[in-house]
């Protein structure tokens, strides 16, 4: 096995492209943001020796439900703009040990680095989303400017926040009908914010961290990226019109039409 072989794996190629695209969107300045992608052993085994553990890295909490699962994750302190130039230093392939407390490094972090400091929040969210959807595979965190700005000037009430976003763009209600969870400012990189985020993920796939950024969970890198992209567009439109008299809007009745047209159900109690 060689690094070049793994670098040609479709999921590594897609991870590199996604990191590059997120940086180009301005969502991941400096070392801001992180991604984790759940993989099966069948996807991993053709590229790496799953019995060759390079290092063991404590994850800072225990999650037995993820024992034996593989994740491709971004590294702590790594710049998304550099992933395309040296994926093996900026990404790592890990497996969670049987006790759910340690990550075994199977590939990557070649400069001696380790996984993102937000890994506990990612793994807690993965565990919750897998219990709701067996196809859930991605957790993505970044700092989109418009959604960040919106948390300074808009109520953080989840229903109000979600309804505003739904009203900004026709596609919003059927792209994220489960709405948006919202957390007040909390210190990042802690077990506490991970637990709070995971709790919100029981009801929705998007969680906004006020004055910080957003978490998205999806079935693929494209899915999670698209959720963030749509929310960010809604926030951008809101900031452009919030100071102006609103003469028109997307009404609740019209959103019910969209529910019927696209076969989705808006979060209970969020529409009149």
């Amino acid at each position: 096995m060689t690094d070049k072989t793994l670098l040609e794996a479709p999921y590594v190629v897609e991870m590199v492209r996604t990191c590059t695209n997120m940086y180009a969107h301005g969502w991941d300045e400096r070392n801001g943001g992180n991604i984790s992608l759940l993989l099966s052993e069948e996807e991993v085994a053709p590229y790496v020796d799953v019995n060759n553990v390079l290092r063991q890295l404590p994850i800072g909490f225990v999650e037995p439900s993820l024992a034996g699962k593989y994740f491709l994750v971004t590294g702590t302190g790594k710049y998304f703009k550099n992933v395309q130039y040296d994926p093996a230093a900026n990404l790592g392939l890990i497996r969670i040990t049987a006790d759910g407390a340690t990550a075994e490094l199977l590939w990557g972090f070649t400069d001696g680095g380790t996984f993102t400091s937000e890994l506990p929040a990612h793994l807690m969210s993965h565990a919750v989303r897998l219990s709701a959807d067996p196809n859930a595979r991605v957790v993505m965190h970044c700092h989109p400017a418009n959604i960040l700005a919106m948390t300074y000037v808009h109520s953080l009430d989840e229903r109000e926040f979600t309804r505003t976003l739904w009203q900004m763009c026709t596609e919003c209600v059927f792209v994220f009908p489960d709405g948006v969870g919202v957390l007040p400012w909390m210190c990042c990189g802690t077990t506490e914010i991970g637990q709070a985020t995971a709790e919100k993920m029981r009801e929705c796939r998007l969680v906004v961290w006020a004055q910080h950024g957003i978490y998205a969970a999806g079935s693929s890198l494209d899915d999670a990226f698209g959720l963030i992209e749509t929310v960010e567009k809604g926030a951008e439109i809101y900031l452009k019109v919030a100071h102006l008299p609103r003469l028109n809007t997307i009404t609740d009745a019209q959103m019910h039409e969209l529910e019927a047209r696209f076969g989705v159900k808006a979060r209970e109690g969020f529409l009149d």
Side-chain angles (χ1 to χ4, degrees), residues 69-265:
K69 294 194 180 298
Y70 297 80
F71 295 92
L72 183 65
V73 299
T74 52
T76 188
K78 301 301 185 183
Y79 289 36
F80 269 33
K81 71 182 182 67
N82 293 334
V83 174
Q84 61 184 313
Y85 305 117
D86 193 352
N90 291 283
L91 303 175
L93 179 65
I94 62 172
R95 177 177 58 207
I96 308 302
T97 53
D99 61 3
T102 303
E104 298 175 322
L105 180 66
L106 302 177
W107 173 88
F109 301 145
T110 54
D111 59 359
T114 186
F115 48 71
T116 169
S117 62
E118 301 289 359
L119 186 67
H122 279 248
L123 295 182
M124 291 176 195
S125 292
H126 274 290
V128 167
R129 291 311 307 164
L130 283 169
S131 68
D133 177 8
N135 295 315
R137 299 188 68 192
V138 174
V139 172
M140 184 178 290
H141 170 58
C142 58
H143 308 152
N146 291 294
I147 199 70
L148 197 71
M150 187 173 167
T151 67
Y152 283 90
V153 297
H154 192 285
S155 160
L156 299 183
D157 177 84
E158 289 181 350
R159 183 178 187 271
E160 293 179 12
F161 203 92
T162 295
R163 284 171 59 83
T164 293
L165 289 169
W166 282 349
Q167 290 166 357
M168 291 303 104
C169 185
T170 296
E171 67 177 352
C172 284
V173 73
F174 62 81
V175 171
F176 53 99
D178 43 356
V180 176
V182 183
L183 289 176
W185 186 92
M186 298 176 69
C187 187
C188 57
T190 65
T191 300
E192 289 74 21
I193 198 170
Q195 291 170 335
T197 302
E199 191 60 34
K200 295 292 185 185
M201 286 274 183
R202 294 186 188 280
E203 295 188 279
C204 55
R205 296 167 296 152
L206 289 158
V207 181
V208 171
W209 288 4
Q211 295 85 50
H212 184 146
I214 192 167
Y215 258 71
S219 59
S220 66
L221 290 165
D222 271 354
D223 183 30
F225 185 98
L227 287 170
I228 295 171
E229 195 170 31
T230 307
V231 167
E232 175 68 352
K233 173 62 71 67
E236 180 183 4
I237 295 168
Y238 168 74
L239 293 173
K240 288 181 175 179
V241 304
H243 62 294
L244 301 170
R246 192 182 299 185
L247 303 181
N248 305 291
T249 193
I250 302 172
T251 67
D252 283 27
Q254 290 168 332
M255 283 191 266
H256 284 306
E257 286 185 51
L258 291 168
E259 286 181 300
R261 172 67 179 82
F262 292 96
V264 299
K265 183 70 176 72

